[in-house]
Every structure is written in structure tokens, then in C-alpha cells.
Amino acid sequence: MGTKAQVERKLLCLFILAILLCSLALGSVTVHSSEPEVRIPENNPVKLSCAYSGFSSPRVEWKFDQGDTTRLVCYNNKITVPPSKPTVNIPSSATIGNRAVLTCSEQDGSPPSEYTWFKDGIVMPTNPKSTRAFSNSSYVLNPTTGELVFDPLSASDTGEYSCEARNGYGTPMTSNAVRMEAVERNVGVIVAAVLVTLILLGILVFGIWFAYSRGHFDRTKKGTSSKKVIYSQPSARSEGEFKQTSSFLV
């Protein structure tokens, strides 16, 4: 722990008696540190010592005291850090009937945080069928990983989602709320198909109108009616003469 120049922190070594009466029966108890104040350059290792006597089975905690704020930093030989504000990954829209995955995580908590999900400000139970408010939903919620999976997504799953991270140390932290819309299947494809169909119909109507306005259909009819076909029967001739069986004139 430190600032940009030098680290100067006061650590309070707090001990809680497991069996108070037994400890007092042993005589006087003492708790002291050989170095009440520690000065160390930033990013350097530091060793803090605390001695005690007269306790039967003490619970040892190290706390960080800064102004009016006291935070637990070490318990049971493990560093503890309260959770930071979690970040969420929530799709703005998802298709009804498909699988939708929502995630929540934070990196600072020690021990690792567990996560609780909220929909429209209401706590989501691990089993959706256990409460009436979520009985129409099908999801799996993992408090350890912070993952919330809808499979399949239903129309009732539309709403604002947020999550809370807590690890038993410090204040639980809540993410920003994000709204997810459950939309009908293939709505976008249907809309696109309708638009394309309307455009093609418009082009076809325009083409027919343009052809009529230029007189293409009238000229075609006139050209067809002006053609004549004349057919003549062959005339009787002698055997030595050339025989023409039929003739056509267009």
C-alpha cells in the first residue's frame, strides 16, 4: 500500500478473543508492535510484525485504518480486499427461443466474490421455478462465475438487469443496470424481405408505365395487323409444263 511519493500508513492489529473468560483467567493480555509506524518506498516489500500474549485461541486480523474508514486487509493469513464495482456484458436484444448469455465480473475482491443477479430491481433466485415472478423463465445462474444463461429466451425475459458482487469484506458493489429486449424470431429477415418485394414491384410498375408512355405497346399492335398472307391454289397444267403446287405472298 502506498502513494506516489512515500507510503505512510498506520495499521491497527486487532485481536478478538475466542473464549474471553478463559483468556482473562490466564492473567494479563498484551498486544504490541515493534514498529508502530512504517515508512517504505512505493513498490517495495514490507514486513509488519505484531506480538501478543495471554490469549488461548485468538482470531488475528489486520486492518487498514485511514481517516474514518477501516478495512479488513488480512484474516487467517490471507489478504482480503473488498470487491470493486462489477462490469456486466448484457446484449441489448436477443431472439426469443435462442440462447442468451449474460456475464458479471470484478477483479479486485479477495477472496473471490460471489454474484447475485437482479431483474428490474428484484433478486433473481438460483431456481427460477421457486418463485412466481420468474416461473415463466428458463435460466441457469452461477453465483461463483457470475454467468446467467437463458436457454431458451422467452418474451417475459425483457427487462433491466444488474448484478451485485460480495465476498464478505467491505460493502457489496452493484453494477450499472442494462436493458435487454427479447425480440421475435427472424423479425429482421421478414422486414427486409418485405422491403425488397416492394422495391421490385415499384420497378415493375414503373417499367410498364414507361413502355406505355413511349407507345411501345401501340406500335407492336400496328405492326402485327399490317401483315397479310395470300395463298393461291395451283392451276391445272399439262404434263410437260412446270408444276407449282402453291404460293404464299406476305
Side-chain angles (χ1 to χ4, degrees), residues 50-218:
C50 183
Y52 59 90
S53 63
F55 295 92
S56 174
S57 55
R59 164 175 162 168
V60 181
E61 296 179 352
W62 283 90
K63 291 190 176 183
F64 174 60
D65 190 13
Q66 185 179 29
D68 297 331
T69 304
T70 301
R71 290 188 300 176
L72 182 66
V73 295
C74 183
Y75 167 64
N76 197 22
N77 295 323
K78 295 180 180 179
I79 297 296
T80 59
V81 179
S84 57
K85 184 176 181 178
T87 57
V88 293
N89 184 11
I90 301 173
S92 59
S93 64
T95 304
I96 295 174
N98 285 0
R99 187 172 185 263
V101 180
L102 287 65
T103 61
C104 176
S105 63
E106 66 86 24
Q107 304 300 322
D108 297 329
S110 178
S113 296
E114 289 195 350
Y115 302 93
T116 303
W117 278 94
F118 297 82
K119 179 192 174 187
D120 298 327
I122 302 174
V123 176
M124 300 179 67
T126 304
N127 180 10
K129 306 305 179 185
S130 63
T131 59
R132 185 175 181 180
F134 298 95
S135 59
N136 293 328
S137 295
S138 296
Y139 64 78
V140 176
L141 193 160
N142 191 323
T144 303
T145 63
E147 189 174 70
L148 174 61
V149 180
F150 293 91
D151 193 11
L153 188 73
S154 65
S156 62
D157 294 324
T158 293
E160 288 192 348
Y161 291 86
S162 61
C163 79
E164 179 186 83
R166 64 169 66 218
N167 66 352
Y169 300 98
T171 304
M173 302 296 290
T174 304
S175 72
N176 293 332
V178 178
R179 184 170 183 82
M180 180 181 72
E181 294 285 346
V183 298
E184 293 291 342
R185 184 187 299 272
N186 297 328
V187 171
V189 175
I190 295 173
V191 172
V194 171
L195 290 176
V196 171
T197 302
L198 291 176
I199 292 173
L200 293 176
L201 287 175
I203 294 173
L204 179 62
V205 171
F206 175 79
I208 295 173
W209 171 84
F210 183 82
Y212 270 111
S213 64
R214 298 298 182 183
H216 292 297
F217 288 98
D218 293 338

Side-chain angles (χ1 to χ4, degrees), residues 13 31-36 48-51 62:
C13 182
V31 178
H32 71 276
S33 175
S34 58
E35 296 181 273
L48 304 176
S49 63
C50 183
W62 283 90

